[in-house]
Amino acid sequence: MNIVINSRVGWRRIGDGVVVFNCENQKIVIWNEVASRLWEMLYKGFDFNALTSWLSCEYSLNLKKARKDVFNFIHEAASMDFIGFNNDYVDKVESEISGNSKDGENVLLAIEMEAIKNLIPFAITFETTHTCNERCIHCYMDRNISALSFQEIKRILEKIALEGCLFVSFTGGEFLTRKDSVEIIECASGMNFVIDILSNGTLINQDIAKTFVKHSVRRVQISLYGATKKTHDSITSLPGSFEKTLKGIEYLKKEGIKVEIAFPLMNVNFKERYLVKDLVESMECLLSPSHIITARNNGSKDTFSLRINDRQLLDFLKDKKLSKLYAGRKPFQTHQFYFGFADLNDAAPCYSGFNSCAITPSGKVLPCNQLLYETGDLKMENFSTIWRSSPQFKYLRSLTIRDLPKCSGCELLKFCARCPGLAMLEGGDLLGPSPENCRVTCVDISLKKGGKQDGKNIRSATRQDERRH
C-alpha cells in the first residue's frame, strides 16, 4: 500500500496530540497520543506493515489487533483526504467522517482552548511588508517600515513552528508586492503550516493561483470596498483596482481555493452593502463585513470621519443576516472563551498573547496587529524567548477584567466587545475603555430595547455611557 500525504495538509503537535488540517476541504482533527505517533511515522514514510509492527511491539498487541487499529487509523485519515494511495486500494476506503462545519468549529475551539492553557501560539499574523500598490483612504499602516528579508522570515517560521504554531496568516500592506511572496508560501507549506493570505487581489494572476493550490493554503481573504468601480476605486485610490480585484478572485475560484471577501463598512460605501452581498454570493465566496474602522498606527484619528453613523450602525445590527457575518470580536456574553467564568471579572480582557500574536514587517512581536504593545524584537531575540519570557507578555497574561478601572464596573460590560487594541489606539490607555466599543454597545442595546431611538437619542445614550466610564 503506497501512502501519499496530501500536499494541502498542514499539521502541528500540540501537547500529546497532533492537529491536522486539510486546506482543500477544511476538515480538521486532533488525534490522541497513539494516533499522533502513527501520523508522525506515516509522514516520515513508514508503510502499513511498519506501522503495524511498531504498534504491536509498543503496546503488546497481537498482530491481528494491531493491523485492525492501523487500518482504522489510515481509513480515518483517508476519509478526510489527509492521505491518498497510488494503487487500487483507494477503492476500498470509504468516507466515514461527516463534513459538518459545526463539528469542525467545535474541534477548532477545543484546540484553541488547549493552546491557551499551554501558551501555544497556535495562530500568528505575519505582516511581511507595509508596501502596497493601493492607497486606501482608511488604511492604518505606516508605509515607512523596513521589511524582513526572506532568510529572516524563514528563520522566524522555523522558530514559531517549534513553538507549535499551525495557522499563519501572511499579510501586508499587500503581501504579493514582495517579489519573494511565492517562495515564502512554498517555505511555509514545506514546514506544514496552514496558510491564510490577506490581499487586495489586484496582483493575483493565473500562475499565482495555481501555485497557491499546490500548497497548504487554507483561504485567501480579499478586500472589496464596493459593488461598483466608482466606489471601490475611490476608496483604494487606484484606478482599475475594482476590475483587477474581481479578476484575481476569478483566478482563485477557478483553482478551487476558498475565498473570503472582507468588506469594511464606511459611510461612503454603506449604501452598497446589499449590492456587495449579492456580488459576493454570485462569485460563490464568503462575506465578512466589518463596522470597525480603527485609528491609524501613527496615532491619527482622521479615519474616524469614515465610520458609519449611529443610524447606519443600527441598520447594520438590525439586519441579522448581514451582521451575523461579522467575524470580529464578539461581546463577552457570547464569546466562547468566557463561557466558563462564573464571574466575568475573573477572565482575561483579551486572549491575544495566550494562543496568538502578530509579527510586524520589521520583526517586532505584538499580541495582535491591532494591539500595538511591543513585546520583543525578533532581530535581537528568538521567538521562544519573547513568547515565554517577555515581561510585556507576562503582564498582559496577568491581567483580568477586574484590573480595568472603568470597564469592570460598567453595567453593560457583558454586552460589550471591548478590544484593548482599540482602547489604546483611541485613548492611549491599555486598561481604559474604547469609545467606539461603547458606541456599538449602546446602539446594540437600543436595538434590543426595540430599536426605536433616533440617532440623536442614541448619541445621547452613548455620551451617558462614556460618562459612566
Side-chain angles (χ1 to χ4, degrees):
M1 188 192 306
N2 192 5
I3 301 171
V4 178
I5 305 291
N6 186 342
S7 64
R8 297 202 65 196
V9 164
W11 64 277
R12 194 73 71 226
R13 178 166 279 280
I14 177 168
D16 293 331
V18 159
V19 177
V20 187
F21 187 94
N22 187 333
C23 297
E24 197 166 21
N25 58 23
Q26 308 293 304
K27 291 183 179 179
I28 186 170
V29 69
I30 180 166
W31 274 318
N32 63 22
E33 184 176 1
V34 177
S36 296
R37 293 282 299 278
L38 288 172
W39 172 260
E40 290 175 326
M41 295 170 72
L42 197 65
Y43 187 80
K44 292 177 181 177
F46 285 65
D47 62 14
F48 180 83
N49 291 330
L51 293 176
T52 299
S53 178
W54 171 81
L55 190 64
S56 175
C57 294
E58 186 74 10
Y59 293 94
S60 301
L61 301 175
N62 61 56
L63 282 176
K64 183 178 180 180
K65 170 65 173 170
R67 284 178 64 84
K68 182 179 179 180
D69 288 349
V70 172
F71 176 85
N72 287 338
F73 166 74
I74 290 176
H75 187 282
E76 180 179 1
S79 72
M80 302 181 88
D81 290 331
F82 294 160
I83 60 175
F85 306 94
N86 286 352
N87 58 24
D88 293 337
Y89 180 81
V90 70
D91 296 331
K92 300 177 183 179
V93 180
E94 298 176 355
S95 177
E96 291 183 346
I97 305 298
S98 168
N100 188 306
S101 62
K102 192 67 178 178
D103 291 342
E105 290 174 8
N106 291 336
V107 172
L108 189 56
L109 176 63
I111 294 167
E112 290 175 339
M113 297 298 287
E114 185 72 13
I116 288 173
K117 184 172 70 175
N118 293 285
L119 292 182
I120 296 171
F122 204 60
I124 292 180
T125 299
F126 205 146
E127 294 180 341
T128 60
T129 179
H130 277 183
T131 300
C132 188
N133 58 329
E134 294 183 337
R135 295 291 184 271
C136 295
I137 58 176
H138 64 293
C139 181
Y140 56 82
M141 293 184 174
D142 182 356
R143 298 178 185 277
N144 300 316
I145 294 181
S146 60
L148 297 164
S149 68
F150 173 77
Q151 289 302 323
E152 288 173 318
I153 288 176
K154 180 181 178 182
R155 174 179 57 80
I156 292 170
L157 289 173
E158 291 171 345
K159 298 297 183 183
I160 65 176
L162 289 174
E163 282 295 317
C165 177
L166 175 61
F167 295 97
V168 62
S169 299
F170 292 120
T171 182
E174 171 52 50
F175 171 59
L176 294 175
T177 60
R178 287 192 64 119
K179 295 180 179 180
D180 55 6
S181 58
V182 169
E183 286 79 9
I184 292 172
I185 295 297
E186 292 171 346
C187 177
S189 184
M191 296 181 192
N192 305 311
F193 283 100
V194 173
I195 302 164
D196 286 348
I197 298 167
L198 282 63
S199 171
N200 60 40
T202 61
L203 302 178
I204 295 174
N205 55 34
Q206 189 175 39
D207 289 340
I208 288 176
K210 287 183 178 296
T211 298
F212 287 173
V213 83
K214 292 177 183 176
H215 298 288
S216 54
V217 174
R218 172 174 69 154
R219 65 172 178 174
V220 179
Q221 186 185 77
I222 302 291
S223 298
L224 188 67
Y225 302 111
T228 63
K229 173 181 177 180
K230 179 180 178 181
T231 300
H232 180 90
D233 289 6
S234 68
I235 292 174
T236 66
S237 305
L238 179 66
S241 59
F242 183 67
E243 287 92 344
K244 291 178 181 178
T245 293
L246 295 186
K247 193 65 178 177
I249 294 170
E250 181 183 328
Y251 286 129
L252 294 172
K253 293 297 296 181
K254 185 177 181 181
E255 296 301 324
I257 295 173
K258 180 181 178 182
V259 178
E260 179 180 286
I261 303 300
F263 177 45
L265 288 162
M266 292 176 266
N267 51 37
V268 294
N269 65 8
F270 188 75
K271 63 182 182 298
E272 293 188 12
R273 62 194 185 283
Y274 295 120
L275 293 175
V276 168
K277 185 173 183 292
D278 290 342
L279 176 60
V280 171
E281 288 176 352
S282 72
M283 296 186 293
E284 298 183 334
C285 299
L286 301 175
L287 177 63
S288 180
S290 175
H291 52 288
I292 302 295
I293 300 296
T294 71
R296 302 191 197 275
N297 286 358
N298 63 9
S300 173
K301 300 177 183 178
D302 63 308
T303 51
F304 291 4
S305 65
L306 298 169
R307 289 174 170 173
I308 57 177
N309 61 37
D310 294 341
R311 174 51 58 189
Q312 291 170 329
L313 178 58
L314 183 65
D315 289 344
F316 171 66
L317 296 175
K318 189 183 299 183
D319 185 345
K320 297 303 180 184
K321 288 185 178 180
L322 190 61
S323 61
K324 76 175 182 179
L325 299 175
Y326 172 60
R329 186 170 172 82
K330 307 293 185 188
F332 287 116
Q333 69 172 0
T334 58
H335 197 310
Q336 290 172 302
F337 286 172
Y338 296 89
F339 284 175
F341 290 91
D343 186 344
L344 187 58
N345 281 297
D346 294 330
C350 178
Y351 283 96
S352 294
F354 286 77
N355 66 354
S356 61
C357 66
I359 299 170
T360 73
S362 58
K364 303 294 175 59
V365 180
L366 309 172
C368 85
N369 61 342
Q370 189 163 275
L371 179 51
L372 308 183
Y373 183 75
E374 189 177 319
T375 62
D377 188 340
L378 290 169
K379 287 189 173 182
M380 301 177 65
E381 298 177 277
N382 67 52
F383 180 82
S384 180
T385 300
I386 295 171
W387 180 255
R388 297 286 169 183
S389 305
S390 161
Q392 291 83 2
F393 267 134
K394 288 184 176 181
Y395 171 67
L396 282 178
R397 293 164 185 161
S398 73
L399 293 174
T400 66
I401 293 175
R402 201 178 304 280
D403 295 312
L404 309 180
K406 295 181 179 179
C407 296
S408 60
C410 179
E411 61 188 39
L412 302 182
L413 176 64
K414 66 180 181 179
F415 305 106
C416 184
R418 179 192 179 274
C419 169
L422 276 180
M424 277 194 68
L425 284 168
E426 293 177 341
D429 186 357
L430 177 64
L431 303 181
S434 157
E436 181 63 358
N437 286 146
C438 294
R439 181 175 80 104
V440 173
T441 303
C442 286
V443 172
D444 193 32
I445 290 297
S446 79
L447 177 61
K448 289 178 170 61
K449 290 180 178 179
K452 296 180 180 180
Q453 290 177 301
D454 59 23
K456 181 178 179 181
N457 289 332
I458 293 172
R459 285 192 295 275
S460 176
T462 304
R463 286 195 294 271
Q464 289 174 13
D465 190 64
E466 288 173 350
R467 286 196 292 273
R468 185 183 301 118
H469 281 130

